[in-house]
């Protein structure tokens, strides 16, 4: 009987010891729960209580993690990950917060391995959220400091925890894109993340297509840039920036005919769409500009003449399309602006030819200036309308100023000079500079 009593006493001792060991785990749970109730509060007393609870939780979990009986329990690892990740977020000192984060990351890794039944999912989720917040905050600081490669690393951890979070994907892509300016290996990473963003319901995906096309260009992949710009236009046909980007890349690639075919097909399906006529006009305008540049570089007269004719033909087609846009909407600012400029270009060319004539060609000079005047006057109504529609447009004011600077009209020379000067003052007074 005495033996039995002794055995019963030993069993009682073992039970009490095990209870003491698990008590620390329970304390850690209770303190972390108390922290969860009061965290994030701005009231000083409650905030202090939250900090105290978290510190108590740390003390308890450290004891539980140091004891052989509880050290390897899934709950211990999960609690340790949640507590230490919360400490990392709260700690404003980079060196110590990084240590807490590393501890949390390792603990959560073990918790996931051991928690096969998902009993500690809430704690693991808490820890993952804290780790994501920590890396998001770190990424913002690194990005603002211009350390884009480090920002990418931080945001990528955030993204891996929440792979469908559009903010995480976007910030990772932006950081990689900026890091690519000094290390091109980041451009493919930016491309991957931007492409991932396009698979989500991100509300700014029109801009994503534009940014992605830019990264392809920086990565010297014109084919990819044109492809993604075209996909963007197909999905967001009313987006002007994407239309312009597709046209720009197509012209650089010598594929302006492809873009024109697409725009003309769109017009056939939607003949009352003013933007489509505008973009067809813009394409012809840019082809004309390229022809002018080519002519300026040409060394023989025949090549110069051919380029000049190409430019003239394309500017005429551009003007025709701008006019079609204005037939649909006479108040369309961009069409008025571009039509005025397109019609004024021949006047500027004639003006430049006139002022470069030798002094003994006075009659030729006067004849060419009068010819330029007639060409300037064709543009005047549209130049005026553009300024009326947007008096704060630097481009519209600049075009109208060039009209008054280019006019010959000896009877009104002083008046034209004064008007050009007044417009220059308007341009200089624009809020925020050029608009």
């Amino acid at each position: 009987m005495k033996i039995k009593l002794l055995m019963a006493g030993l069993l009682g001792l073992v039970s009490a010891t095990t209870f003491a060991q698990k008590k620390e785990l329970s304390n850690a749970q209770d303190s972390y729960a108390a922290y969860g109730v009061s965290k994030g509060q701005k009231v000083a007393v409650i905030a202090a209580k939250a900090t105290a609870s978290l510190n108590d939780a740390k003390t308890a979990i450290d004891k539980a993690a140091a004891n052989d009986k509880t050290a390897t329990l899934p709950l211990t690892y999960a609690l340790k990950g949640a507590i230490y990740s919360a400490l990392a977020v709260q700690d404003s000192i980079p060196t110590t917060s990084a240590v807490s984060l590393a501890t949390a990351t390792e603990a959560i890794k073990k918790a996931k391995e051991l928690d096969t039944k998902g009993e500690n999912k809430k704690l693991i989720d808490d820890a993952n959220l804290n780790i994501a917040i920590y890396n998001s905050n770190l990424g913002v600081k690194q990005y603002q400091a211009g350390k884009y490669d480090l920002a990418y690393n931080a945001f990528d951890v955030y993204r891996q925890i929440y792979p469908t979070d559009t903010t995480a994907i976007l910030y990772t892509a932006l950081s990689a894109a900026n890091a690519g300016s000094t290390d091109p290996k980041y451009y493919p990473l930016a491309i991957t993340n931007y492409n991932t963003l396009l698979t989500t319901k991100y509300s700014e995906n029109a801009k994503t297509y534009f940014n992605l096309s830019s990264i392809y260009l920086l990565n010297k992949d014109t084919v990819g840039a044109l492809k993604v710009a075209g996909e963007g236009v197909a999905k967001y046909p009313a987006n002007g920036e994407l239309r312009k980007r597709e046209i720009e890349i197509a012209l650089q690639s010598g594929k302006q005919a492809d873009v024109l075919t697409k725009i003309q097909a769109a017009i056939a399906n939607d003949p009352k769409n003013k933007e489509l006529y505008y973009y067809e006009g813009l394409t012809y305008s840019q082809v004309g500009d390229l022809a002018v540049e080519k002519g300026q570089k040409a060394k023989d007269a025949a090549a110069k003449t051919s380029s000049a004719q190409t430019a003239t033909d394309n500017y005429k087609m551009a003007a025709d399309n701008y006019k079609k846009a204005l037939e649909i909407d006479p108040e369309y600012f961009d069409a008025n602006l571009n039509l005025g400029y397109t019609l004024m270009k021949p006047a500027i060319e004639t003006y430049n030819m006139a002022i470069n004539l030798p002094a003994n060609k006075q009659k030729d000079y006067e004849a060419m200036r009068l010819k330029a005047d007639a060409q300037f006057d064709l543009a005047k109504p549209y130049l005026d309308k553009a300024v009326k529609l947007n008096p704060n447009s630097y481009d519209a004011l600049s075009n109208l100023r060039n009209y008054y600077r280019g006019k010959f009209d000896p009877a009104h020379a002083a008046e034209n000079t004064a008007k050009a000067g007044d417009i220059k003052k308007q341009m200089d007074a624009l809020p925020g500079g050029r608009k």
Side-chain angles (χ1 to χ4, degrees):
M1 182 65 69
K2 288 183 180 179
I3 293 175
K4 290 182 178 179
L5 286 173
L6 178 61
M7 291 295 293
L10 287 172
L11 287 171
L13 178 62
V14 171
S15 177
T17 303
T18 302
F19 176 79
Q21 292 161 355
K22 290 190 175 182
K23 180 65 175 175
E24 295 299 343
L25 202 54
S26 179
N27 287 341
Q29 275 185 293
D30 292 343
S31 296
Y32 181 72
Y35 159 74
V37 171
S38 50
K39 71 176 180 177
Q41 296 293 325
K42 294 183 179 180
V43 179
V45 175
I46 300 178
K49 182 180 178 182
T51 300
S53 296
L54 188 59
N55 288 334
D56 289 344
K58 176 185 179 302
T59 300
I61 198 63
D62 284 347
K63 290 179 181 179
N67 192 288
D68 291 342
K69 300 296 183 180
T70 54
T72 58
L73 294 176
L75 176 59
T76 302
Y77 284 117
L79 266 171
K80 189 171 184 178
I83 293 165
Y84 270 85
S85 63
L87 287 166
V89 171
Q90 281 202 344
D91 191 350
S92 60
I93 302 172
T95 51
T96 52
S97 64
V99 172
S100 295
L101 186 78
T103 301
T105 302
E106 184 59 30
I108 286 302
K109 180 180 177 182
K110 291 293 296 182
K112 290 177 179 177
E113 291 175 2
L114 298 173
D115 189 25
T116 56
K117 296 181 180 179
E119 294 173 340
N120 301 293
K121 183 179 183 302
K122 174 66 169 60
L123 289 170
I124 293 172
D125 287 346
D126 280 0
N128 280 331
L129 176 60
N130 287 331
I131 293 170
I133 291 172
Y134 178 93
N135 279 282
S136 176
N137 292 340
L138 177 61
V140 169
K141 291 177 183 176
Q142 302 286 23
Y143 190 95
Q144 291 174 340
K147 299 176 181 178
Y148 301 117
D149 54 339
L150 298 180
Y152 167 79
N153 292 335
F155 286 132
D156 196 49
V157 173
Y158 170 22
R159 182 197 61 78
Q160 289 180 51
I161 294 172
Y162 295 110
T164 60
D165 187 309
T166 56
T167 299
I169 302 168
L170 175 63
Y171 286 3
T172 305
L174 283 170
S175 299
N178 281 283
S181 63
T182 53
D183 188 347
K185 77 179 182 184
Y186 284 95
Y187 285 142
L189 298 173
I191 288 170
T192 296
N193 280 282
Y194 274 126
N195 273 312
T196 300
L197 193 58
L198 289 175
T199 66
T200 71
K201 294 181 179 180
Y202 178 52
S203 61
E204 298 287 332
N205 263 340
K207 186 183 293 183
T208 301
Y209 276 109
F210 185 90
N211 290 338
L212 182 55
S213 70
S214 298
I215 303 304
Y216 273 115
L217 289 174
L218 290 170
N219 201 40
K220 303 186 187 306
D221 184 356
T222 308
V223 173
L226 184 58
K227 179 175 180 292
V228 78
E231 290 172 354
V233 168
K235 193 161 186 178
Y236 302 97
N239 187 281
E241 293 301 316
L242 281 170
R243 284 274 182 194
K244 290 178 184 176
R245 172 52 57 85
E246 184 184 31
I247 291 169
E248 290 167 357
I249 300 172
L251 293 176
Q252 291 173 17
S253 308
K255 294 185 177 181
Q256 59 266 27
D258 293 344
V259 173
L260 284 169
T261 299
K262 287 175 63 175
I263 295 174
Q264 288 162 358
I267 289 173
N269 290 325
D270 189 6
K272 295 297 183 181
N273 189 324
K274 64 182 181 182
E275 279 89 3
L276 293 174
Y277 291 108
Y278 168 76
Y279 287 115
E280 184 170 5
L282 184 63
T283 305
Y284 283 122
S285 288
Q286 294 195 8
V287 173
D289 290 343
L290 289 175
V292 170
E293 291 178 17
K294 185 178 179 181
Q296 290 171 345
K297 296 176 183 177
K299 294 182 179 179
D300 62 275
K304 287 182 179 292
T305 300
S306 175
S307 294
Q309 187 59 52
T310 299
T312 299
D313 292 343
N314 279 278
Y315 288 141
K316 182 182 181 304
M317 288 186 283
D320 289 342
N321 277 280
Y322 294 140
K323 288 175 181 177
K324 289 177 183 177
L326 291 175
E327 287 173 6
I328 297 170
D329 180 7
E331 308 299 301
Y332 189 3
F333 169 73
D334 288 328
N336 276 289
L337 178 71
N338 280 25
L339 179 55
Y341 178 71
T342 299
L343 292 174
M344 191 168 61
K345 284 183 75 68
I348 294 173
E349 292 294 323
T350 305
Y351 169 88
N352 288 333
M353 290 170 61
I355 63 173
N356 287 318
L357 287 172
N360 62 355
K361 296 283 187 179
Q362 183 63 26
K363 288 186 178 180
D364 291 341
Y365 169 80
E366 292 179 2
M368 292 183 73
R369 289 299 302 269
L370 289 172
K371 179 182 177 182
D373 270 11
Q375 293 169 328
F376 274 119
D377 286 338
L378 291 175
K380 181 67 160 44
Y382 305 104
L383 302 175
D384 283 333
K385 188 62 176 284
V387 170
K388 180 181 177 182
L389 290 170
N390 187 357
N392 289 325
S393 167
Y394 186 97
D395 289 333
L397 289 169
S398 178
N399 288 346
L400 187 57
R401 177 174 178 248
N402 286 335
Y403 167 84
Y404 286 113
R405 293 174 69 196
K407 280 285 288 184
F408 183 46
D409 192 8
H412 300 91
E415 182 183 346
N416 289 337
T417 300
K419 287 182 178 178
D422 290 341
I423 294 172
K424 180 64 168 63
K425 290 177 183 177
Q426 285 181 257
M427 294 164 64
D428 292 340
L430 286 176
R434 177 172 178 155
K435 288 191 175 182

